[in-house]
């Protein structure tokens, strides 16, 4: 980290894999539900293809392959994720302490839908820190890796993109932040990076810094 650079005027947190340790859970749900609909997708493939992407991106992926995801897929996936999160979702260690000590504005910008983000923050006890400062891919035309969502969040928070820091765990999210003209730190402390080289993945995507523990948030 460039210690000579002044602290940002806004911090945008991704939700899945940054605030809550959800990526393995959600990708496992995705793999299981697609299998129920006759589409084979391993957990590793789900992580590789769809980490940080919206359900719209999932449907478009299969549409491009000539496979139409059945109408019942999204409701089934949403129900499976809700049940799984309610019983198993945990916050990223030390993230509550980090956000409670921030002195500048902060918000969430996530590829997940608003219901899922709200559920994730409620289940993990983080909702009170963010209030209604929740922005999702549903609110913009193009999801990550396009910059639309981060630009929208910065506009709503009335902060210039160049004065904004994004915390992301996915390559698509890092790319979106860089495309928006923002500084971005890659976070690799989620369970989905236990068997993958997250530092290499996020550095290659353009992250300005990569760190693995929220307790090291402001450390160089």
């Amino acid at each position: 980290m460039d210690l000579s650079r002044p602290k940002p005027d806004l911090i945008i947190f991704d939700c899945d894999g940054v605030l809550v340790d959800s990526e393995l859970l959600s990708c496992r749900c995705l793999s299981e539900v697609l299998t129920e609909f006759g589409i084979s997708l391993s957990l590793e493939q789900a992580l590789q293809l769809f980490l940080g992407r919206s359900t719209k991106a999932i449907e478009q992926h299969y549409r491009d392959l000539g496979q139409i995801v059945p109408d019942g897929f999204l409701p089934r996936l949403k129900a499976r994720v809700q049940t799984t999160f309610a019983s198993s979702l945990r916050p990223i260690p030390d993230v509550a302490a980090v956000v409670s000590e921030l002195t500048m504005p902060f918000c969430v910008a996530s590829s997940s839908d608003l219901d899922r983000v709200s559920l994730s923050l409620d289940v993990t006890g983080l909702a009170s820190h963010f209030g209604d400062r929740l922005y999702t891919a549903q609110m913009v035309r193009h999801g990550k890796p396009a910059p639309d969502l981060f630009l929208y969040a910065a506009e709503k928070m009335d902060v210039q993109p160049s004065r904004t820091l994004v915390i992301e765990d996915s390559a698509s999210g890092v790319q979106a932040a860089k495309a928006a003209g923002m500084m971005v730190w890659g976070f690799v402390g989620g369970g989905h990076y236990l068997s993958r080289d997250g530092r290499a993945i996020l550095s290659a995507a353009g992250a300005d810094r990569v760190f693995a523990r929220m307790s090291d948030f402001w450390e160089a």
Side-chain angles (χ1 to χ4, degrees):
M1 184 177 73
D2 182 0
L3 294 178
S4 66
R5 183 185 176 105
K7 287 187 176 180
D9 294 334
L10 170 68
I11 299 180
I12 298 177
F13 291 90
D14 180 36
C15 184
D16 296 293
V18 171
L19 298 176
V20 300
D21 201 358
S22 59
E23 295 288 21
L24 280 178
L25 296 177
S26 59
C27 284
R28 188 173 293 117
C29 289
L30 175 61
S31 174
E32 291 171 352
V33 173
L34 281 173
T35 298
E36 292 174 6
F37 283 96
I39 298 175
S40 177
L41 180 76
S42 69
L43 176 59
E44 183 58 35
Q45 288 172 321
L47 287 167
Q48 183 177 352
L49 291 171
F50 301 122
L51 187 68
R53 307 295 300 278
S54 65
T55 52
K56 186 187 298 182
I58 296 170
E59 291 184 307
Q60 186 62 53
H61 171 82
Y62 286 105
R63 192 175 297 119
D64 291 343
L65 294 176
Q67 294 179 277
I68 304 301
V69 177
D71 290 340
F73 163 71
L74 287 180
R76 181 84 62 87
L77 178 62
K78 183 175 182 177
R80 180 72 58 85
V81 168
Q82 288 177 335
T83 300
T84 301
F85 279 18
S87 63
S88 303
L89 187 62
R90 299 291 182 270
I92 292 292
D94 298 317
V95 74
V98 168
V99 297
S100 65
E101 294 172 2
L102 291 178
T103 57
M104 70 285 290
F106 58 93
C107 65
V108 173
S110 171
S111 292
S112 296
D113 63 40
L114 187 58
D115 288 346
R116 176 166 147 179
V117 173
S118 297
L119 173 67
S120 296
L121 298 180
D122 284 339
V123 166
T124 55
L126 297 173
S128 62
H129 294 290
F130 292 92
D132 61 357
R133 303 186 308 279
L134 310 178
Y135 308 105
T136 74
Q138 295 168 300
M139 302 174 184
V140 295
R141 181 181 295 272
H142 301 292
K144 305 171 189 178
D148 302 31
L149 178 56
F150 290 138
L151 292 173
Y152 178 79
E155 180 183 4
K156 288 295 185 181
M157 297 294 292
D158 197 25
V159 175
Q160 292 296 317
S162 62
R163 298 292 306 144
T164 299
L165 168 65
V166 175
I167 313 299
E168 261 289 352
D169 72 306
S170 71
S172 61
V174 169
Q175 292 162 355
K178 297 305 289 186
M182 300 175 178
M183 175 175 274
V184 56
W185 291 352
F187 179 70
V188 294
H192 55 297
Y193 281 128
L194 290 177
S195 61
R196 305 167 76 227
D197 190 351
R199 289 185 179 276
I201 292 169
L202 300 187
S203 294
D208 297 291
R209 173 199 177 208
V210 180
F211 68 112
R213 299 187 303 177
M214 282 294 170
S215 57
D216 296 332
F217 192 84
W218 289 118
E219 297 298 320

